[in-house]
Amino acid sequence: MINDIQNSLIKKESIFGPDNYKPLPVVLSKAKGVWAWDVNEKKYLDMMSGYSAVSHGHAHPELLRVFHEQSSRLSLTSRAFYTDTLGPYLETITKMSGFEMCLPMNSGAEAVETAIKSSRRWAYRTKKVKPGKAEIIVADGNFHGRTTTIISFSTDENSREDFGPHTPGFVAVKYGCSESIESAINENTAAVLIEPIQGEAGIVVPPENYLPEVRDICTKHNVLMILDEIQSGLGRTGKLFAYQHSNIQPDGLILGKALGGGFMPVSCFLSSEEVLHWMNPGSHGSTFGGNPLAAAIAKRSLELLEEDGLIENSRVMGQYFKESLLNMNSKIIKEIRGKGLWLGVEIDPELISGKDLSKMCLEHGILCKETHETTIRYAPPLVINKEELDWGLDKIKEVFDKITG
Ligand SMILES: Cc1ncc(COP(=O)(O)O)c(C=O)c1O
């Protein structure tokens, strides 16, 4: 129940800020591990994880230690100088991912912009595409962020409407269909930019042969295959990267969210030296990108994925989560999509709307949110254990039973 304190805090957000989000009616004030508490000390299981940015759990003790240590020693310098944290971080991330180079940024959208700019430079300077003609192929239903260029190739009208003129140079084709990519390729194509699993579209998993076929097509036509793993990457699907389920290697990879360990925005674009060496002084950058605090946090966040066994836990707990939901045999569930601890539960809209279901989950102590009205996304921190997950499953069952009677 919302009381006066919550109400006044909720009001402040909408009086002093625009309603560009529609938060659920809860005011959170602290969190630890997989749990969060509202201003009245009511406890919730976080099955949202900051849209998958809190994979390590809230206030992971080792990341908290690094945060304190690094911020009291050196937090921000700009890239005008070298630091003792950036090089070691870049070495760690490139070794772990198998890419030659990493260009550090802050938000996910900035890293996507970096991938677009890098691909275009490579197309003009290496592939010799005619000046001003480079094209990038994207997929219907994509979500890559909110900048003017990125929304220019969104297929969601509300994201684009009245934000034009839109940036040209993008072609959207059917997601999950490699033939549509091949048909759209021409001599000006610089890159194909896709999500290996579409998150915001409702955890849409493409056919198994999609990524291998796209890989072959890109190689055949000398086009860069760029994957946006801002949401799917870093253990979320039970592998370090979602593309590893398909045994392929893309030419470029975009990471964000969990790279910041739940503490701060950290993102990057990873690729080969052939692509990234064109990003010369003055061509691109960011005051905060690669800052010492971000570099220290990101390095430890990456190491902890392996040290804490988070990737394996995502695989095992994800499997258990999916099976347990299916075993509920609830009439509400039409389909469950996803991999690892990243599930999209397609619900029957005749029984309840996604919005109302999220609200009921909230009342029962579960933080989750619908995407596209009929899909509930469950994405708890990757540190979740069986006991915690069982607690959540009991609550979800209670909600489902209440709806179906
Ligand atoms: C696949 C994908 N790309 C890009 C973004 C944008 O990231 P940010 O919100 O950090 O700009 C998101 C955010 O949800 C995402 O899921």
Side-chain angles (χ1 to χ4, degrees):
M1 282 310 263
I2 310 210
N3 63 10
D4 288 350
I5 311 172
Q6 301 221 45
N7 242 336
S8 98
L9 289 163
I10 288 171
K11 269 204 188 121
K12 274 194 216 289
E13 285 200 20
S14 66
I15 291 171
F16 301 113
D19 287 331
N20 58 325
Y21 278 88
K22 218 171 193 215
L24 284 165
V26 60
V27 182
L28 299 174
S29 81
K30 64 178 184 192
K32 178 103 190 94
V34 299
W35 304 103
W37 287 263
D38 69 14
V39 285
N40 301 317
E41 298 284 329
K42 178 175 170 187
K43 181 172 133 176
Y44 301 84
L45 180 64
D46 185 0
M47 290 211 156
M48 184 74 194
S49 303
Y51 294 103
S52 297
V54 191
S55 290
H56 300 76
H58 294 275
H60 187 292
E62 169 61 5
L63 292 176
L64 200 54
R65 185 196 65 75
V66 171
F67 193 87
H68 282 146
E69 194 274 323
Q70 187 63 45
S71 55
S72 49
R73 191 162 59 80
L74 181 69
S75 57
L76 186 65
T77 53
S78 86
R79 295 287 304 275
F81 312 102
Y82 293 95
T83 64
D84 59 359
T85 50
L86 184 56
Y89 159 54
L90 297 179
E91 185 178 26
T92 299
I93 194 165
T94 49
K95 286 210 166 127
M96 264 179 88
S97 63
F99 286 90
E100 288 170 355
M101 286 187 166
C102 168
L103 203 164
M105 299 299 282
N106 313 286
S107 70
E110 282 177 308
V112 173
E113 290 277 352
T114 306
I116 292 168
K117 287 173 72 175
S118 305
S119 305
R120 285 181 169 178
R121 273 237 162 144
W122 171 86
Y124 294 124
R125 296 185 177 186
T126 303
K127 191 175 169 176
K128 308 288 182 207
V129 166
K130 286 191 203 80
K133 296 282 181 204
E135 282 180 11
I136 293 177
I137 298 171
V138 298
D140 286 346
N142 70 72
F143 185 84
H144 297 284
R146 299 292 193 173
T147 63
T148 322
T149 287
I150 295 172
I151 54 110
S152 295
F153 57 85
S154 167
T155 52
D156 170 28
E157 206 31 48
N158 192 36
S159 304
R160 292 165 49 86
E161 201 183 4
D162 291 335
F163 291 130
H166 295 122
T167 310
F170 299 93
V171 183
V173 301
K174 191 166 174 248
Y175 185 65
C177 171
S178 57
E179 293 86 45
S180 67
I181 289 182
E182 189 152 32
S183 317
I185 289 179
N186 62 43
E187 60 183 4
N188 299 323
T189 309
V192 170
L193 166 64
I194 47 176
E195 297 152 82
I197 293 177
Q198 287 189 327
E200 295 310 298
I203 324 274
V204 178
V205 183
E208 237 169 67
N209 54 0
Y210 181 57
L211 291 183
E213 284 173 9
V214 176
R215 175 64 280 175
D216 289 347
I217 290 166
C218 287
T219 306
K220 184 168 138 200
H221 296 280
N222 192 25
V223 164
L224 298 176
M225 179 183 187
I226 310 285
L227 293 181
D228 179 346
E229 292 235 24
I230 286 171
Q231 195 165 159
S232 60
L234 304 176
R236 181 49 62 188
T237 67
K239 297 253 186 202
L240 179 59
F241 304 120
Y243 69 74
Q244 291 170 331
H245 292 281
S246 308
N247 288 319
I248 56 133
Q249 181 69 20
D251 301 304
L253 180 67
I254 310 166
L255 298 176
K257 293 194 191 271
L259 196 52
F263 280 77
M264 57 198 303
V266 186
S267 68
C268 72
F269 176 54
L270 292 146
S271 192
S272 60
E273 203 242 333
E274 179 185 314
V275 171
L276 281 172
H277 85 281
W278 294 120
M279 303 304 271
N280 58 344
S283 63
H284 193 58
S286 152
T287 304
F288 289 90
N291 70 72
L293 183 55
I297 285 283
K299 181 174 185 294
R300 259 336 253 139
S301 297
L302 287 165
E303 290 162 350
L304 287 167
L305 289 176
E306 286 177 354
E307 278 173 37
D308 284 0
L310 299 188
I311 304 167
E312 179 62 3
N313 195 54
S314 171
R315 191 182 67 75
V316 176
M317 285 294 111
Q319 186 71 26
Y320 174 70
F321 192 11
K322 194 179 202 170
E323 278 163 14
S324 307
L325 284 170
L326 286 170
N327 287 340
M328 285 180 195
N329 278 323
S330 173
K331 280 189 265 165
I332 303 237
I333 302 175
K334 285 176 78 178
E335 187 190 13
I336 302 180
R337 299 183 293 267
K339 290 195 161 102
L341 281 169
W342 199 35
L343 299 181
V345 177
E346 194 64 31
I347 56 165
D348 185 344
E350 307 266 301
L351 296 175
I352 189 162
S353 72
K355 202 168 142 203
D356 288 341
L357 184 51
S358 306
K359 271 195 192 146
M360 282 184 75
C361 284
L362 182 72
E363 279 156 19
H364 286 74
I366 301 282
L367 298 180
C368 66
K369 192 119 182 3
E370 79 282 3
T371 166
H372 285 267
E373 283 157 33
T374 55
T375 311
I376 301 290
R377 172 181 20 206
Y378 292 114
L382 306 186
V383 292
I384 197 165
N385 63 32
K386 186 167 174 298
E387 200 186 335
E388 293 160 337
L389 192 52
D390 280 336
W391 187 96
L393 281 161
D394 283 349
K395 300 285 176 190
I396 292 171
K397 187 166 182 332
E398 252 176 62
V399 171
F400 286 0
D401 288 349
K402 216 174 218 178
I403 299 161
T404 51

